[in-house]
Amino acid sequence: MARVGCIFGTESGGSERHARRLSKAWAAAGVKFDAGKDIIAGNDAASMGLAAVAEKYDVLVIVTSSYGDGDPPSNYESFLRDLYVAEGTPFEGCQHCVLGFGSTDYETFQNCPRLTDKLLGALGSRRMLARVEIDENETLAGDAALAKWAADVVKCFSSAAKTKGAADACDWTVPCADVLDKKGDLVGGGGGGGAA
């Protein structure tokens, strides 16, 4: 039985609300998940330490947005910083999927979700599902994409044990690879880092 953790990042509460609503179907998928304990803000995950997160969960469901100039939400900043500075492959044996929220009104649309997806993969986690990017300007298309993603996540949970160690479901660049590197902003010393 896969142990599932959900890590969210939000400024307005939207990503957390979506995570809590979507997670209601996860227990029926036969995974080990407790909505009261296993849905946590990125900064709380960072406080646990990346190794502890990887030890506690087999599957990470990431639900986040970007803020300002493609920055992580304030309750997710420490997690993204830790992903940037991590060494080796602390997430080896884990799997992840990313659901991003944002608005195409901003040039840095989906920056934080994309960076997170890329960095988790670079740190050893298997991408079990292509990242889904919800545009708040496309309500009907966004609702349809969200419903499909939610169903696909539940399907992936049922095969998590079989796919552990398999190749990524896709590259992090799907559906888009445009990112604005934030390493310099988060850890100093200029950009580049793991997201280059």
Side-chain angles (χ1 to χ4, degrees):
M1 178 181 325
R3 300 165 300 158
V4 175
C6 180
I7 300 174
F8 68 86
T10 184
E11 285 296 328
S12 64
S15 295
E16 180 180 7
R17 282 190 298 277
H18 282 292
R20 292 193 182 283
R21 184 173 55 82
L22 295 169
S23 71
K24 291 178 182 175
W26 299 350
V31 298
K32 186 176 179 190
F33 175 79
D34 178 342
K37 298 177 184 173
D38 297 323
I39 299 178
I40 58 175
N43 290 350
D44 294 333
S47 293
M48 290 172 60
L50 297 183
V53 170
E55 179 67 29
K56 184 172 183 177
Y57 300 114
D58 302 306
V59 176
L60 295 175
V61 178
I62 307 296
V63 183
T64 191
S65 60
S66 294
Y67 181 74
D69 191 25
D71 298 313
S74 58
N75 67 352
Y76 193 84
E77 185 175 308
S78 296
F79 183 67
L80 189 61
R81 180 184 308 112
D82 286 359
L83 292 179
Y84 265 118
V85 300
E87 296 180 2
T89 53
F91 289 103
E92 188 76 40
C94 291
Q95 300 184 66
H96 75 276
C97 57
V98 177
L99 174 63
F101 289 96
S103 169
T104 50
D105 290 340
Y106 297 95
E107 194 174 306
T108 54
F109 174 68
Q110 298 292 330
N111 197 60
C112 183
R114 291 174 186 169
L115 288 171
T116 301
D117 195 11
K118 180 177 184 174
L119 292 168
L120 280 170
L123 295 172
S125 181
R126 176 187 179 271
R127 189 169 298 99
M128 61 191 285
L129 191 61
R131 184 181 60 256
V132 169
E133 301 181 342
I134 304 296
D135 180 2
E136 66 184 30
N137 297 322
E138 305 271 335
T139 304
L140 293 178
D143 289 348
L146 187 59
K148 181 181 181 329
W149 182 86
D152 289 345
V153 166
V154 171
K155 287 178 196 169
C156 285
F157 287 163
S158 64
S159 62
K162 297 176 199 163
T163 57
K164 185 176 181 177
D168 285 336
C170 64
D171 191 68
W172 78 269
T173 58
V174 175
C176 183
D178 296 340
V179 293
L180 175 62
D181 187 26
K182 292 302 199 173
K183 185 174 185 180
D185 296 340
L186 293 171
V187 298

